[in-house]
């Protein structure tokens, strides 16, 4: 190590292997901290099993985002904050996407959300219970942690490792690692109030947050944070042509009938705590955790009162679906043959713009108490709302310190245990269970998903004199993990097969049927792992590192992964670095076992489809097999240049992933498939047109370049910092089968922009500071309703963020700013004329794949009190 790092290591008594072996770091300078940045090196705890490293002294790239920069954002969502700072991170808005609307997935380096490992204070963070069944192409089926629950006010810094690290941390670290470091102050604090709204006048957000540091006896600290916010829904919608026609025909249809926008978020409360206590004799106790809860409610697809099958129409979409309510001989609703009173319900073709105005409907349904159609109670159709209550809790307790005596004299140890739990209680409003007929409830609780994870870790590291330039850091450790995924049964009305089932009315809450008792239960998997890690300063200018990790799962077996890294100081100002590694991502327990019925558009038509476990007999018949881990090979090569106040890194990366896990394409069911599903006890089979399942079905190669540069100077009688970050990323699907589908391949390759960049200017004076960021987004594939006929190449775009702060005194700061200050529009839906589809056919205005969202400009004000 260099001299500064050696001194740093000696000053930090209890540095143990954090949970990641990262390496060389490229900094993103915190805004409004220019004077501190000039005098304090940025230090990453993650990335090395040795002492914390300066960001310029490590063999793999890391971004460090300080607390000040995290606070300079008009958005209160951690995903949006990070997206504006890390160009290789992409986050999409997900309107009408089932559970993906409740917990949004994020993509680092063009890979799905669950290919990035998330750490909190260096410890693995548990997954969300939400599986993104409609995740927008790249995230279909992803199940990653819920980053949005982490409030910026609780953080000391965020460390983003942009390199594979499975050999250090295990599963998921293919694209990289994000480590969220909690504040650890024993005194002081802050209280902030923020209010924001989109230029369109919706999406109003109100947030109150606070942080306080307190002493825990004379030898410790307790740092506590909270955040409470409410966010109104947005709508970027127009009226659908079919809904418009029903309105013109005299029906009371809402305008717009279907909402494309961000969901409403209510009572979003988050509590974080971080505790540390010096036990004496070079030992320390630590504990941290969180409790978070929020209610989310978003839009869904409009149900057309003429064509929605199993509710309003028979299979042909042109004949009204009518139920005979006459009791049969044994008191049961009959099969539609009118056996109770000898009177048959009529067959009514839909021949007008409003079937309820037809005379045959008036005579045969409206005036006949024995015959029923849903047009009697919902003549204008209906639009369900999908939402849920999301709770997230975690607790980590551990001790670390220095061993005394024996062969391990001076070694640093870290022993910890963690538990994390995520629960999603789903709710669907304003819908029906058609099989219950006129007695159907309108709101349902379809059930819950619960993700529970437990882990124990033992890490040790020791400096060993091997006659090299400096002592060699040798580290090793053991890990045990248990992961379970539970499906909780919904309320009976959400899944029951009502008395109209035999008359071809759909079973379960329309849009998201409840989980049946047969679906309920808990699936569990356990694994253990061991690793060794060596880092050696071979000469004054050459640093070498290597890691090897063995991991065994009680489901699919074992895997062994490696990593080698190196940094060469060519001159005092220029360093070269490189790494090569293998990695893996184990299929989640949820992906391997979950089943679900979802409503989505396929070819522009609303259909019900079933997601089955890959080992279900129907899945096997269609090509499904037991899931195996994804496997990756990564390579990076980069350079670091520093001169006075200038810092720059350039890194090339290549990531090959084999057997990637995703949902298969939706496969149309044959009649024999349906008979087999019925025999297996699957409900509502007659309304199911398609099935899908998780599969290891394709390989990808992702290549890219990251460029990060920072420069600080005295400017305009103040302190200025300029930051440039650029990412080029390209993904190619190198192998796939028919069950993946050509359009899904196209989405994987083209949905995300190949080019992204940001340029930031932060300027500070004694009483005022200013922050400006210019964001560039290259061309991307615009896709609407996951339909290939809507796809176009959308234009590149530039957005600008701006904030100005006034320091009223030493304690109070007033800020005002805007994201996308010039209100740059996302690309409007422009379906090729050759498709013959109106642009507003499904009520949307903008392509939902826009990399900067579709809500437009947002302004905000903020007041902060520091004490």
């Amino acid at each position: 190590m260099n001299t500064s790092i050696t001194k740093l290591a000696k000053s930090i008594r209890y540095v143990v292997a954090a949970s990641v072996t990262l390496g060389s770091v490229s900094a993103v300078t915190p805004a409004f901290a220019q004077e501190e940045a000039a005098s304090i090196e940025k230090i990453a705890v993650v990335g090395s099993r040795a002492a914390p490293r300066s960001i310029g002294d490590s063999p793999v790239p890391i971004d460090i985002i300080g607390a000040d920069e995290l606070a300079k954002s008009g958005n209160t969502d951690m995903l949006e904050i990070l997206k504006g700072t890390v160009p290789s991170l992409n986050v999409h808005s997900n309107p009408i996407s089932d559970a993906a609307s409740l917990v949004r997935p994020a993509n680092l380096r063009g890979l799905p959300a669950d290919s990035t490992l998330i750490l909190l204070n260096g410890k693995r963070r548990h997954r969300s219970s939400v599986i993104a069944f409609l995740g927008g192409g790249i995230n279909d089926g992803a199940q990653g942690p819920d980053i949005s629950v982490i409030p910026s006010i609780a953080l000391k810094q965020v460390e983003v490792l942009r390199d594979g690290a499975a050999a250090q941390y295990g599963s998921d670290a293919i694209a990289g690692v994000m480590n969220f470091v909690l504040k650890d102050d024993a005194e002081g604090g802050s209280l902030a109030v923020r209010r924001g709204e989109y230029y369109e006048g919706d999406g109003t957000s109100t947030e109150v947050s606070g942080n306080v540091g307190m002493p825990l006896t004379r030898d410790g600290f307790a740092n506590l944070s909270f955040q409470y916010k409410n966010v109104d829904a947005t709508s970027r919608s127009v009226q659908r042509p079919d809904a418009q026609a029903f309105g013109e025909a005299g029906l009371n249809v809402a305008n717009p009938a279907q909402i494309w926008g961000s969901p409403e978020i209510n009572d979003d409360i988050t509590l974080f705590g971080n505790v540390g206590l010096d036990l004496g004799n070079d030992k320390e106790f630590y504990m941290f955790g969180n409790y978070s809860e929020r209610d989310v409610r978003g839009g869904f697809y409009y149900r057309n009162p003429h064509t929605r099958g199993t509710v309003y129409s028979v299979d042909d979409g042109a004949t009204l679906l009518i139920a005979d309510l006459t009791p049969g001989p044994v008191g049961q609703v009959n099969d539609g043959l009118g056996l109770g009173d000898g009177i048959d319900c009529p067959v009514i073709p839909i021949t007008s713009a409003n079937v309820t105005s037809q005379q045959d409907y008036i005579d045969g349904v409206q005036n006949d108490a024995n015959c029923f159609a849903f047009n009697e109670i919902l003549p204008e159709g209906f639009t369900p709302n999908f939402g849920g209550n999301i709770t997230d809790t975690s607790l980590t307790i551990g001790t670390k310190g220095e061993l005394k005596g024996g062969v391990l004299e001076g070694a640093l140890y870290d022993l910890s245990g963690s538990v994390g739990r995520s629960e999603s209680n789903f709710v669907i409003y304003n819908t029906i269970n058609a099989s219950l007929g006129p007695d159907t409830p309108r709101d349902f609780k379809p059930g819950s998903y619960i993700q529970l994870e437990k882990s124990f870790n033992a890490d040790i590291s020791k400096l060993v004199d091997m006659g090299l330039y400096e002592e060699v850091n040798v580290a090793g450790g053991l890990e045990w993990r248990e992961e379970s995924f539970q499906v909780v049964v919904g309320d009976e009305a959400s899944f029951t097969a009502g008395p109209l089932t035999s008359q071809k009315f759909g079973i379960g809450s329309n849009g998201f049927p409840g989980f049946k008792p047969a679906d309920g239960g808990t699936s569990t998997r356990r694994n253990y792992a061991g690793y060794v890690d060596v880092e050696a300063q071979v000469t004054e200018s050459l640093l070498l590192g290597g890691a090897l990790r063995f991991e065994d799962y009680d489901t699919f077996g074992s895997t062994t992964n490696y990593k080698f890294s190196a940094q060469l100081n060519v001159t005092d100002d220029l360093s070269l670095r490189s790494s090569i590694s293998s990695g893996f991502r184990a299929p989640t327990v949820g992906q391997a076992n979950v089943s679900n019925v979802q409503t989505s558009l396929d070819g522009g038509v609303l259909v019900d489809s079933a997601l089955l476990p890959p080992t279900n007999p129907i899945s096997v018949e269609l090509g499904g097999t037991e899931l195996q881990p994804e496997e990756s090979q990564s390579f990076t090569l980069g350079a670091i240049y520093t001169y006075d106040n200038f810092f720059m890194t350039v890194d090339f990366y290549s990531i090959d992933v084999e057997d990637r896990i995703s949902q298969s394409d939706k496969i149309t069911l044959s009649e024999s498939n349906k008979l087999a599903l019925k025999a297996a006890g699957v409900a509502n089979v007659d309304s199911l047109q398609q099935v899908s399942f998780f599969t290891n079905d394709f390989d990808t190669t992702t290549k890219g370049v990251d460029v990060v540069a920072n420069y600080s100077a005295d400017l305009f009688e103040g302190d200025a910092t300029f930051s440039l970050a650029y990412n080029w990323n390209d993904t190619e699907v190198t192998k796939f089968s028919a069950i993946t589908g050509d359009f899904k391949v196209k989405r994987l390759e083209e949905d995300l922009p190949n080019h992204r960049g940001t340029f930031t200017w932060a300027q500070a004076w004694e009483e005022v500071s200013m922050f400006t960021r210019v964001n560039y987004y290259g061309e991307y594939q615009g896709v609407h309703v996951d339909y290939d006929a809507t796809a176009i190449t959308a234009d590149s775009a530039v957005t600008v963020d701006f904030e100005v702060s006034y320091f009223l005194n030493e304690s109070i700061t007033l800020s005002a700013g805007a994201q996308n200050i010039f209100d740059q529009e996302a690309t409007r839906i422009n379906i090729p004329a050759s498709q013959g589809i109106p642009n507003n056919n499904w009520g949307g205005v903008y392509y939902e794949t826009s990399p900067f969202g579709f809500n437009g400009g947002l302004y905000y004000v903020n007041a902060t009190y520091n004490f």
Side-chain angles (χ1 to χ4, degrees):
M1 302 178 195
N2 60 34
T3 304
S4 64
I5 293 298
T6 302
K7 291 180 178 178
L8 178 63
K10 292 179 179 178
S11 69
I12 301 178
R13 288 184 294 172
Y14 313 133
V15 176
V16 180
S19 303
V20 194
T21 299
L22 297 180
S24 177
V25 184
S26 51
V28 178
T29 304
F32 308 98
Q34 290 83 0
E35 292 183 3
E36 291 186 19
S39 59
I40 300 176
E41 280 190 299
K42 285 183 172 293
I43 302 297
V45 177
V46 300
S48 175
R49 300 287 181 179
R53 284 196 172 277
S54 161
I55 59 171
D57 290 313
S58 187
V60 290
I62 305 173
D63 296 321
I64 295 187
I65 309 160
D68 287 332
E69 184 168 358
L70 292 171
K72 308 304 176 185
S73 172
N75 207 299
T76 58
D77 189 323
M78 178 57 65
L79 289 172
E80 293 293 332
I81 295 172
L82 293 175
K83 184 178 78 171
T85 309
V86 181
S88 58
L89 182 70
N90 285 275
V91 183
H92 281 157
S93 298
N94 290 313
I96 313 184
S97 297
D98 279 3
S101 297
L102 310 184
V103 177
R104 292 192 301 155
N107 313 110
L108 184 66
R109 287 186 162 176
L111 295 173
D114 45 14
S115 289
T116 300
L117 178 64
I118 305 300
L119 307 175
L120 183 67
N121 278 1
K123 304 298 181 183
R124 178 184 286 265
R125 183 87 176 147
H126 61 279
R127 301 180 192 279
S128 164
S129 54
V130 165
I131 302 175
F133 296 122
L134 302 177
I138 189 173
N139 286 307
D140 282 349
Q143 188 187 3
D146 185 2
I147 298 174
S148 67
V149 303
I150 306 174
S152 60
I153 201 166
L155 296 177
K156 182 178 182 178
Q157 65 184 34
V158 180
E159 303 162 355
V160 182
L161 167 66
R162 295 178 277 110
D163 192 33
Q168 290 99 11
Y169 306 110
S171 177
D172 305 347
I174 291 178
V177 180
M178 292 186 187
N179 183 35
F180 294 83
V181 183
L182 296 173
K183 290 179 178 176
D184 55 6
D185 300 308
E187 60 182 9
S190 61
L191 181 68
V193 179
R194 182 181 308 224
R195 176 88 169 179
E197 186 175 273
Y198 287 101
Y199 291 7
E200 293 286 334
D202 58 9
T204 303
S205 60
T206 304
E207 176 190 313
V208 180
S209 58
N211 170 265
V212 61
M214 301 175 291
L216 184 64
T217 74
R218 293 181 300 174
D219 301 312
F221 69 89
N223 194 278
L224 307 176
S225 304
F226 82 92
Q227 177 179 277
Y228 178 80
K229 66 179 178 181
N230 289 284
V231 183
D232 292 342
T234 67
S235 174
R236 301 297 177 264
S237 316
V238 294
Q239 187 63 301
R240 292 169 46 135
D242 56 350
Q244 179 70 29
F246 288 124
E248 293 171 354
L251 293 173
N252 185 26
V253 183
N255 188 3
Q258 179 176 309
I259 302 296
W260 291 93
S262 299
E264 177 184 6
I265 302 173
N266 289 315
D267 297 328
D268 187 349
I269 179 72
T270 292
L271 305 172
F272 268 80
N274 188 25
V275 173
L277 180 64
D278 188 341
L279 302 175
N281 197 28
D282 292 336
K283 293 179 176 60
E284 177 183 342
F285 166 82
Y286 61 87
M287 178 174 67
F288 54 88
N290 79 286
Y291 173 82
S292 305
E293 182 176 5
R294 66 184 183 274
D295 294 309
V296 184
R297 180 169 178 169
F300 229 44
Y301 293 107
Y302 171 63
R303 269 56 175 171
N304 183 304
H306 283 185
T307 62
R308 178 58 178 153
T310 73
V311 177
Y312 288 106
S313 75
V314 296
D315 293 340
D316 61 7
T319 306
L320 198 65
L321 182 60
I322 302 173
D324 187 340
L325 301 182
T326 307
V330 293
Q332 300 296 320
V333 171
N334 65 54
D335 60 3
L337 299 178
L339 296 180
D341 58 5
I343 301 174
D344 290 344
C345 289
V347 175
I348 299 179
I350 301 172
T351 59
S352 68
N354 176 8
V355 71
T356 63
S357 67
Q358 294 177 199
Q359 193 62 45
D360 52 357
Y361 171 86
I362 295 172
D363 295 336
V365 176
Q366 184 174 310
N367 295 332
D368 188 339
N370 291 331
C371 297
F372 169 79
F374 272 99
N375 304 75
E376 294 185 80
I377 59 176
L378 294 168
E380 67 282 351
F382 62 97
T383 306
N385 278 187
F386 182 74
N389 174 268
I390 312 297
T391 58
D392 184 287
T393 55
S394 69
L395 181 66
T396 296
I397 299 176
T399 181
K400 57 186 178 181
E402 183 177 337
L403 295 174
K404 306 294 184 180
V407 68
L408 294 178
E409 170 78 28
L412 303 173
Y413 70 87
D414 187 343
L415 303 174
S416 66
S418 300
V419 60
R421 185 180 187 272
S422 171
E423 181 172 358
S424 303
N425 294 294
F426 301 119
V427 184
I428 188 164
Y429 308 91
N430 194 41
T431 189
I432 60 173
N433 180 340
S435 70
L436 295 174
D439 297 326
T440 179
R442 297 303 310 279
D443 300 333
F444 301 84
K445 295 181 178 179
S448 308
Y449 288 151
I450 300 174
Q451 176 80 14
L452 178 64
E453 297 182 30
K454 305 169 187 176
S455 64
F456 293 96
N457 293 82
D459 301 286
I460 190 167
S461 64
K462 179 175 174 58
L463 294 173
V464 179
D465 188 354
M466 295 185 179
L468 300 177
Y469 181 76
E470 288 182 354
E471 292 178 308
V472 176
N473 190 82
V474 179
L478 299 172
E479 180 180 53
W480 177 89
R481 292 178 55 223
E482 179 183 87
E483 177 181 347
S484 66
F485 185 82
Q486 181 180 0
V487 178
V488 180
V489 175
D491 60 42
E492 185 175 0
S494 71
F495 63 79
T496 191
L500 300 187
T501 301
S502 63
Q503 300 184 55
K504 297 187 176 180
F505 282 80
I507 300 171
S509 43
N510 190 272
F512 198 96
F515 307 132
K516 309 180 301 299
D519 299 328
T522 303
S523 302
T524 302
R525 179 181 68 199
R526 298 177 180 86
N527 64 283
Y528 65 88
Y531 75 89
V532 292
D533 185 289
V534 178
E535 193 170 285
Q537 193 75 42
V538 179
T539 68
E540 183 177 4
S541 59
L542 179 62
L543 173 70
L544 296 177
L548 187 69
R549 183 184 182 97
F550 172 82
E551 197 141 359
D552 185 79
Y553 288 77
D554 63 8
T555 51
F556 59 80
S558 61
T559 178
T560 302
N561 294 276
Y562 66 87
K563 182 169 186 175
F564 299 104
S565 59
Q567 181 171 16
L568 176 66
N569 297 324
V570 180
T571 68
D572 290 341
D573 302 324
L574 177 65
S575 298
L576 302 178
R577 62 189 181 192
S578 183
S579 69
I580 184 170
S581 63
S582 64
F584 78 105
R585 185 182 78 78
T588 72
V589 177
Q591 289 170 337
N593 295 280
V594 72
S595 61
N596 175 264
V597 175
Q598 55 193 248
T599 301
S600 60
L601 288 167
D602 181 72
V605 179
L606 202 60
V607 299
D608 292 334
S609 62
L611 174 75
L612 302 176
T615 53
N616 180 281
I618 298 298
S619 303
V620 173
E621 182 178 333
L622 297 172
T625 60
E626 184 174 355
L627 294 179
Q628 298 298 312
E630 300 177 352
E631 296 183 346
S632 68
Q633 293 287 331
S634 299
F635 170 74
T636 66
L637 177 64
I640 308 165
Y641 179 75
T642 58
Y643 182 77
D644 278 349
N645 297 325
F646 180 75
F647 180 89
M648 181 176 182
T649 66
V650 179
D651 292 280
F652 166 82
Y653 58 87
S654 176
I655 308 170
D656 294 323
V657 185
E658 295 181 352
D659 298 326
R660 277 183 59 169
I661 299 170
S662 183
Q663 283 190 83
S664 70
D665 212 16
K666 292 181 173 62
I667 302 168
T668 301
L669 287 170
S670 66
E671 286 304 315
S672 62
N673 294 148
K674 289 186 176 183
L675 290 173
L677 281 173
K678 290 178 180 179
V682 176
N684 217 20
V685 172
D686 288 328
S687 71
L688 295 177
Q689 290 95 338
Q690 302 170 328
V691 297
S692 62
F693 46 87
F694 287 104
T695 176
N696 299 95
D697 195 54
F698 59 99
D699 302 343
T700 60
T701 295
T702 299
K703 294 181 179 180
V705 174
D706 287 322
V707 179
V708 177
N710 298 285
Y711 176 70
S712 58
D714 295 331
L715 186 67
F716 301 131
E717 298 181 347
D719 299 305
T721 298
F722 299 94
S723 302
L724 171 70
Y726 165 78
N727 171 255
W728 168 74
N729 191 89
D730 181 75
T731 294
E732 178 186 1
V733 177
T734 55
K735 188 186 78 171
F736 67 98
S737 73
I739 60 174
T740 295
D742 291 339
F743 184 54
K744 184 161 189 174
V745 169
K746 196 167 185 286
R747 295 205 65 180
L748 289 164
E749 294 181 338
E750 300 180 16
D751 271 13
L752 300 180
N754 291 125
H755 301 274
R756 262 210 69 198
T758 64
F759 177 76
T760 303
W761 173 23
Q763 181 76 32
W765 295 276
E766 187 172 337
E767 295 183 344
V768 178
S769 65
M770 179 193 72
F771 176 83
T772 304
R773 175 182 288 131
V774 180
N775 308 283
Y776 172 76
Y777 303 89
E779 293 181 344
Y780 62 95
Q781 179 172 243
V783 177
H784 186 45
V785 298
D786 197 23
Y787 186 18
D788 57 354
T790 69
I792 66 167
T793 299
D795 294 335
S796 60
V798 173
T799 66
V800 178
D801 306 328
F802 178 78
E803 179 180 292
V804 61
S805 297
Y806 174 65
F807 308 116
L808 190 64
N809 52 43
E810 291 184 356
S811 299
I812 299 175
T813 302
L814 304 177
S815 303
Q819 284 191 323
N820 191 4
I821 192 170
F822 299 118
D823 199 22
Q824 170 66 50
E825 272 197 329
T827 299
R828 287 179 171 263
I829 296 169
N830 184 22
I831 301 173
S834 60
Q835 300 295 335
I837 302 172
N839 288 330
N840 66 333
N841 198 60
W842 300 280
V845 177
Y846 305 106
Y847 284 107
E848 53 264 35
T849 50
S850 168
F852 56 93
F854 48 73
N855 284 315
L858 175 141
Y859 63 86
Y860 61 93
V861 293
N862 185 82
T864 303
Y865 173 66
N866 296 295
F867 56 90

